[in-house]
Amino acid sequence: LYYLETGNYLSTFHLTDANNVYAGAKISYDYKDVFGISVGGKYYNWDADDEVALITKPQFRIDFQTNFRPIPALDVKLGYEYIKREEVRSLNADYLRDPISNLSLGATYRLFNDLSVYVSASNLLNKDYHYYIGYPSQGINFLGGLSFKF
């Protein structure tokens, strides 16, 4: 199932069959409880009866994550996600979706064993992209809160 977005209106609904074969890998390294890094990637091979259905499908994805613990109670995370979309040649440029490029930063401070406070920021590059049609990304955004363990 897919649809095309025209301005602020959804203009066409279609059903089509799509198949996907993908391969990926992830490598990570942790040094004690002080530092960790991971890099992962996936390649997707899509096939659809109507290639218009592929306009939001990923062609490949790269994820990078690093964690740093400067003091025992504080975790700092830096992450980057890049998703390149399938190229759909039958459409004009108005329907093509930009790649996703999301840089994020976050921190968690453990007040007690079962209580933490956290803050994170996402889309630090302030890019305009859509994970899904009709759902644009927010600009730079922040999230914070408390975490309880039971």
Side-chain angles (χ1 to χ4, degrees):
L1 173 66
Y2 68 91
Y3 56 87
L4 294 178
E5 180 181 357
T6 308
N8 292 327
Y9 301 97
L10 302 177
S11 63
T12 308
F13 285 89
H14 293 281
L15 291 174
T16 189
D17 288 327
N19 298 304
N20 177 22
V21 175
Y22 64 91
K26 182 177 183 179
I27 187 168
S28 62
Y29 173 77
D30 289 315
Y31 177 73
K32 299 184 180 181
D33 281 337
V34 177
F35 177 76
I37 188 169
S38 67
V39 177
K42 260 185 206 175
Y43 172 78
Y44 300 85
N45 186 10
W46 289 94
D47 181 38
D49 293 341
D50 185 352
E51 72 173 358
V52 175
L54 304 178
I55 61 177
T56 60
K57 301 301 184 200
Q59 186 176 37
F60 69 85
R61 142 187 239 132
I62 298 170
D63 293 301
F64 169 81
Q65 182 84 24
T66 184
N67 303 313
F68 179 61
R69 184 172 286 166
I71 60 175
L74 178 64
D75 290 327
V76 179
K77 297 180 180 183
L78 176 68
Y80 180 72
E81 173 186 44
Y82 178 81
I83 301 174
K84 183 177 184 320
R85 305 294 184 145
E86 282 286 334
E87 294 180 16
V88 180
R89 299 171 208 267
S90 64
L91 292 177
N92 63 32
D94 294 338
Y95 293 111
L96 300 180
R97 297 294 165 205
D98 291 332
I100 294 171
S101 183
N102 187 4
L103 180 65
S104 60
L105 179 66
T108 301
Y109 186 78
R110 282 175 299 289
L111 300 169
F112 305 104
N113 285 340
D114 298 331
L115 176 64
S116 301
V117 61
Y118 64 90
V119 64
S120 66
S122 189
N123 197 9
L124 293 174
L125 302 173
N126 202 24
K127 298 285 186 175
D128 181 24
Y129 54 82
H130 292 234
Y131 277 102
Y132 306 101
I133 295 176
Y135 297 94
S137 65
Q138 298 177 1
I140 298 172
N141 58 83
F142 301 92
L143 177 68
L146 295 172
S147 174
F148 302 94
K149 289 184 184 178
F150 295 96

